[in-house]
């Protein structure tokens, strides 16, 4: 058996997987997100560890065999978080998470110091509030006593490996999102660290994702129920583990994740980061591969907002029929034509990350008329999210990444209508999967590669990942959507200043 653990933002999910890819057992343990000040997002690393112990104990109990038969452990985790440890390995302060927004000033300082062109050459990325490096500078400035105690910095999943094995380690896919990493050379950026006077020994040794980085200690074995000596590999960032868990391991493939947020992920065999920094460029967990990634903040969240605010009748009817209200809303959308009769939705309900990087962007319906029904509105929401994801894919194509097949995952991918929109608007064959276990499965497969269960990632994904069906673009729809898509791309630049003014007015009213 292989064990995959995903240290997520809302909880730890664990999977036990047989070497033939069959999932034997799963378990989820949740924890709280802390927000001590507006715009802050923190978690206690001890909560992750307690959840990990609960998950491992539950999986060992559910497993059809003894825990000593677990051949390897893989770890996936939320990216960019900062776990500061003292000389004894104790947590100095709560972890500052990927969705924390306190470091805007530090991001500006980093860009001013290096210049965007040089920062891109050093790290292939720009400074964003969620990344790890700005949090280091924030700690130095605002909590100097805590900085003085800090001797080691770990990312969230790497802290759990430390608790499991006693070893300080990082791996390339997660380290690539820290803004302290030379993504092209797959190692920490000594130049950047030296210029910012950050001690190199603050950071752990960095491995490839499938490298074995330690073994379960006797103490951790007692806490988790796992067998002492079980090897743990580097693992991966949640996005690369999600890609491996869906079999997206070759250039030319694309992963489109329609969850709360929307992610477009495309492997690249060459270094080809975006000079305009509209999308990210990180290391894949597959050796010798990188990936381009765009993240939309409100994909499924846009549909959820519509359901909660404008779908009360469908929620009530779904309750009477024992159905999902999303299914009833989608049925209304199917009655509206392609393009929603001239109605476009901009899905910037929480600002936007890719490709605009604008926290003050706002959502809107453009083109409303008295002909539009609820069905038109729903369809416009789904189309607007898909336009935004297609815009990220078009940037990847412009950078030279071939993208002829899109593998859809997440809750939205269960909708045949939404899959057809992806195919029509992105101009690609859309593949759906037989099962969708997410990053925890990818982590387990990485463990399988690292411990010799599989020869390589090709064998691992061929064994565990199954395509259930494909959706081909409809030529007439493609032509009609093409015009709407071009208009969609023009709307944000046109309305940007209006969005910013509205945001300032709203803040003033608060």
């Amino acid at each position: 058996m292989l064990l995959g653990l995903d240290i997520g933002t809302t909880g730890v999910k664990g999977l036990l997987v047989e070497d033939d890819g069959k999932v034997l057992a799963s378990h989820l343990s949740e924890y709280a997100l802390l927000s001590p000040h507006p715009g802050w997002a923190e978690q206690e690393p001890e909560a992750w560890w307690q959840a990990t112990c609960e998950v491992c104990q539950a999986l060992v109990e559910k497993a059809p065999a003894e825990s000593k038969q677990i051949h390897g452990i893989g770890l996936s985790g939320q990216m960019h978080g900062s776990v500061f440890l003292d000389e004894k390995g104790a947590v100095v302060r709560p972890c500052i998470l990927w969705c924390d927004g306190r470091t805007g000033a530090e991001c500006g300082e980093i860009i001013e110091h290096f210049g965007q062109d040089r920062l891109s050459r050093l790290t292939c990325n720009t400074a964003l509030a969620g990344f790890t490096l700005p949090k280091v500078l924030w700690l130095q400035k605002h909590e100097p006593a805590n900085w003085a105690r800090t001797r080691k910095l770990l990312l969230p999943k790497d802290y759990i490996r430390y608790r499991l094995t006693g070893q300080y380690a990082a791996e390339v896919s997660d380290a690539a999102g820290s803004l302290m990493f030379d993504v092209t050379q797959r190692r920490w950026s000594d130049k950047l660290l030296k210029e910012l006077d950050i001690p190199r020994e603050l950071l752990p040794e960095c491995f490839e994702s499938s490298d074995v980085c330690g073994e379960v200690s006797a103490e951790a074995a007692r806490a988790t129920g796992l067998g002492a000596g079980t090897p743990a590999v580097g693992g991966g960032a949640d996005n690369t583990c999600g890609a491996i868990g869906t079999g997206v391991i070759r250039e030319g493939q694309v992963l489109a994740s329609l969850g709360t947020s929307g992610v477009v992920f495309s492997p690249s065999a060459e270094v080809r980061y975006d000079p305009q920094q509209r999308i990210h460029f990180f290391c894949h967990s597959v050796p010798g591969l990188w990936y381009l990634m765009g993240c939309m903040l409100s994909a499924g969240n846009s549909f959820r907002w519509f359901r909660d605010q404008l779908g009360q009748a469908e929620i009530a009817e779904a309750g009477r029929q024992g159905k999902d209200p999303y299914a009833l809303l989608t049925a209304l959308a199917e009655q509206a034509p392609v393009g929603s009769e001239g109605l476009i939705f901009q899905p910037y309900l929480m600002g936007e990350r890719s490709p605009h990087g604008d926290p003050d962007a706002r959502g809107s319906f453009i083109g409303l008329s008295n002909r539009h029904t609820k069905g038109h509105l729903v369809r416009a929401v789904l189309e607007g999210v898909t336009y935004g994801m297609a815009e990220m894919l078009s940037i990847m194509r412009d950078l030279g990444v071939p993208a002829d097949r899109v593998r859809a995952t997440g809750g939205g991918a269960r909708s045949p209508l939404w899959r057809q929109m992806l195919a029509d608007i992105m101009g690609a064959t859309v593949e759906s999967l037989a099962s969708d276990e997410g990053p925890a499965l990818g982590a387990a497969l990485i463990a399988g590669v690292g411990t010799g269960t599989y020869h390589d990632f090709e064998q691992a994904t061929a064994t565990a990942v199954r395509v259930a069906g494909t959706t081909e673009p409809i030529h007439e729809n493609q032509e009609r959507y093409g015009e709407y898509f071009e208009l969609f791309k023009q709307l944000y630049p046109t309305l940007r200043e209006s969005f910013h003014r509205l945001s300032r007015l709203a803040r003033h009213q608060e």
Side-chain angles (χ1 to χ4, degrees), residues 75-77 173 235-246 285 438-443 446:
L75 293 146
S76 167
S173 71
D238 52 3
N239 285 306
T240 61
C241 286
I244 290 168
T246 54
S285 287
L441 176 59
I446 294 173

Side-chain angles (χ1 to χ4, degrees), residues 271-316:
V271 174
R272 39 163 69 101
Y273 66 87
D274 178 20
Q276 299 180 50
Q277 294 299 328
R278 295 163 295 178
I279 54 177
H280 311 314
F281 186 76
F282 298 139
C283 298
H284 204 304
S285 287
V286 178
L289 271 188
W290 294 267
Y291 68 93
L292 292 150
M293 186 192 81
C295 179
M296 168 189 289
L297 296 180
S298 292
N301 184 59
S302 291
F303 200 5
R304 179 175 181 174
W305 166 82
F306 189 96
R307 180 201 67 178
D308 292 347
Q309 303 304 324
L310 301 171
Q312 297 303 316
E314 287 73 26
I315 292 173

Side-chain angles (χ1 to χ4, degrees), residues 334-367:
E334 290 174 336
Q335 298 172 21
V338 166
S340 304
E341 291 195 57
L343 182 63
I344 292 179
F345 174 73
Q346 293 183 284
Y348 312 135
L349 301 183
M350 299 176 64
E352 191 55 290
R353 181 165 167 180
S354 302
H356 304 304
D358 185 356
D360 289 331
R362 291 293 179 263
S364 66
F365 284 101
I366 304 293

Side-chain angles (χ1 to χ4, degrees), residues 135-462:
K135 296 164 188 170
V136 174
L137 303 187
W138 183 91
L139 191 75
Q140 291 175 337
K141 183 189 303 182
H142 296 279
E143 296 181 359
N146 283 336
W147 173 248
R149 291 176 54 203
T150 299
R151 295 293 179 273
K152 197 66 71 176
L153 171 62
L154 296 180
L155 296 163
K157 76 168 194 323
D158 299 330
Y159 175 74
I160 295 302
R161 179 176 36 253
Y162 166 67
R163 294 295 298 267
L164 283 171
T165 69
Q167 301 297 313
Y168 293 126
E171 55 73 40
V172 295
S173 71
D174 218 355
S178 67
L179 207 65
M180 294 179 281
F181 203 68
D182 184 337
V183 172
T184 62
Q185 299 298 317
R186 302 171 84 91
R187 65 190 182 198
W188 297 115
S189 175
D190 291 330
K191 290 181 180 179
L192 182 147
L193 295 172
K194 184 177 181 180
E195 285 196 34
L196 294 179
D197 198 26
I198 296 173
R200 173 61 182 80
E201 56 269 22
L202 179 75
L203 302 172
E205 184 178 357
C206 193
F207 298 85
E208 288 290 336
S209 297
S210 56
D211 290 343
V212 174
C213 300
E215 298 178 345
V216 174
S217 67
E219 180 183 1
R222 289 190 293 270
T224 61
L226 300 173
T230 305
V233 301
D238 52 3
N239 285 306
T240 61
C241 286
I244 290 168
T246 54
V248 178
I249 61 167
R250 294 179 296 279
E251 190 169 76
Q253 294 179 305
V254 175
L255 176 65
S257 177
L258 284 165
T260 300
S261 61
V263 171
V264 180
F265 176 114
S266 184
S268 175
E270 300 176 14
V271 174
R272 39 163 69 101
Y273 66 87
D274 178 20
Q276 299 180 50
Q277 294 299 328
R278 295 163 295 178
I279 54 177
H280 311 314
F281 186 76
F282 298 139
C283 298
H284 204 304
S285 287
V286 178
L289 271 188
W290 294 267
Y291 68 93
L292 292 150
M293 186 192 81
C295 179
M296 168 189 289
L297 296 180
S298 292
N301 184 59
S302 291
F303 200 5
R304 179 175 181 174
W305 166 82
F306 189 96
R307 180 201 67 178
D308 292 347
Q309 303 304 324
L310 301 171
Q312 297 303 316
E314 287 73 26
I315 292 173
E317 183 62 26
R320 288 189 291 269
Q321 296 184 25
K323 293 184 177 180
D324 183 347
Y326 288 119
L328 299 183
L329 288 167
T330 302
L332 292 177
E334 290 174 336
Q335 298 172 21
V338 166
S340 304
E341 291 195 57
L343 182 63
I344 292 179
F345 174 73
Q346 293 183 284
Y348 312 135
L349 301 183
M350 299 176 64
E352 191 55 290
R353 181 165 167 180
S354 302
H356 304 304
D358 185 356
D360 289 331
R362 291 293 179 263
S364 66
F365 284 101
I366 304 293
L368 273 171
S369 75
N370 63 2
R371 282 186 52 79
H372 288 125
T373 65
K374 183 180 287 188
H376 289 92
L377 293 171
V378 177
R379 186 176 189 110
V381 168
L382 304 185
E383 290 174 340
V385 169
T386 310
Y387 293 143
M389 296 180 73
E391 188 170 10
M392 294 184 275
L393 181 59
S394 68
I395 294 169
M396 296 175 186
R397 285 170 167 157
D398 289 344
L399 293 171
V401 174
D404 54 0
R405 301 186 79 82
V406 173
R407 192 157 287 185
T409 186
R414 291 193 288 268
S415 164
L417 176 63
W418 215 338
R419 293 199 303 270
Q420 188 64 60
M421 287 181 186
L422 284 171
D424 295 340
I425 295 172
M426 290 183 168
T429 299
V430 172
E431 300 173 332
S432 53
L433 301 173
S435 64
D436 189 358
E437 293 291 352
L441 176 59
L445 297 181
I446 294 173
V449 173
T451 56
T453 300
Y454 310 113
H455 296 303
D456 52 27
F457 285 97
E458 290 281 353
Q459 184 189 16
T461 55

